[in-house]
Amino acid sequence: MTELTIDKNKLKPVVLDALNEFFNISDFEEFKHSFLGRLIGLEIKMEVLINEIQNFSSSFGINHRILQTEIKVSQIDSISEMKATNKALETKLDHLISRVAFQEKLQYLTLAAAVVWFIKLIFFF
């Protein structure tokens, strides 16, 4: 396909003549304010809006995927933290249970020593 380069000053009168021939428009400013000019302006604005919406939609999709990934990573981190906390609590609970069991044994020994002391006090004095 061959490219044709035309000077703007030469093209403008040709376009204006064609517009004038088809739509009875002799001035470009008059064309802008005509119904057809406003319709073309609205079409251009609609195309810009459509492009903006498409850009927003694609960036929203990308941001949505990034947020989903961050949420999954956060969930994994939270689960691992919860497991670590649970393990630490289980360790502390086991330690407390062993201390309570030891104190229970000490109480029995203290009670036995008190009983032995009481028996010794009764029988030997």
Side-chain angles (χ1 to χ4, degrees):
M1 197 176 230
T2 315
E3 244 184 74
L4 182 63
T5 307
I6 299 175
D7 188 21
K8 181 180 178 184
N9 294 331
K10 292 180 183 177
L11 183 61
K12 188 174 182 179
V14 173
V15 171
L16 287 175
D17 286 342
L19 288 174
N20 191 26
E21 185 178 323
F22 290 113
F23 303 109
N24 288 332
I25 297 172
S26 59
D27 187 16
F28 192 69
E29 287 299 319
E30 185 180 331
F31 174 72
K32 281 184 186 178
H33 296 292
S34 70
F35 175 74
L36 189 59
R38 284 183 267 156
L39 188 64
I40 291 172
L42 285 174
E43 184 179 354
I44 291 170
K45 288 177 183 177
M46 285 299 293
E47 287 177 3
V48 168
L49 283 174
I50 288 170
N51 287 337
E52 289 294 323
I53 289 171
Q54 287 173 345
N55 290 340
F56 175 75
S57 177
S58 65
S59 67
F60 179 76
I62 291 170
N63 289 339
H64 181 68
R65 286 189 290 277
I66 289 171
L67 285 174
Q68 281 182 332
T69 305
E70 288 177 359
I71 287 171
K72 286 179 184 176
V73 167
S74 176
Q75 285 175 340
I76 292 170
D77 290 345
S78 296
I79 289 172
S80 62
E81 285 180 27
M82 287 171 53
K83 285 181 180 178
T85 304
N86 190 24
K87 186 168 182 147
L89 286 174
E90 285 178 353
T91 304
K92 287 181 180 182
L93 186 62
D94 289 341
H95 180 69
L96 286 174
I97 289 172
S98 65
R99 285 183 63 188
V100 167
F102 179 71
Q103 286 180 354
E104 194 174 82
K105 289 177 186 176
L106 282 178
Q107 283 179 345
Y108 287 131
L109 287 174
T110 305
L111 180 63
V115 168
V116 168
W117 181 79
F118 186 67
I119 291 173
K120 181 180 175 185
L121 184 66
I122 291 176
F123 289 114
F124 295 109
F125 287 107

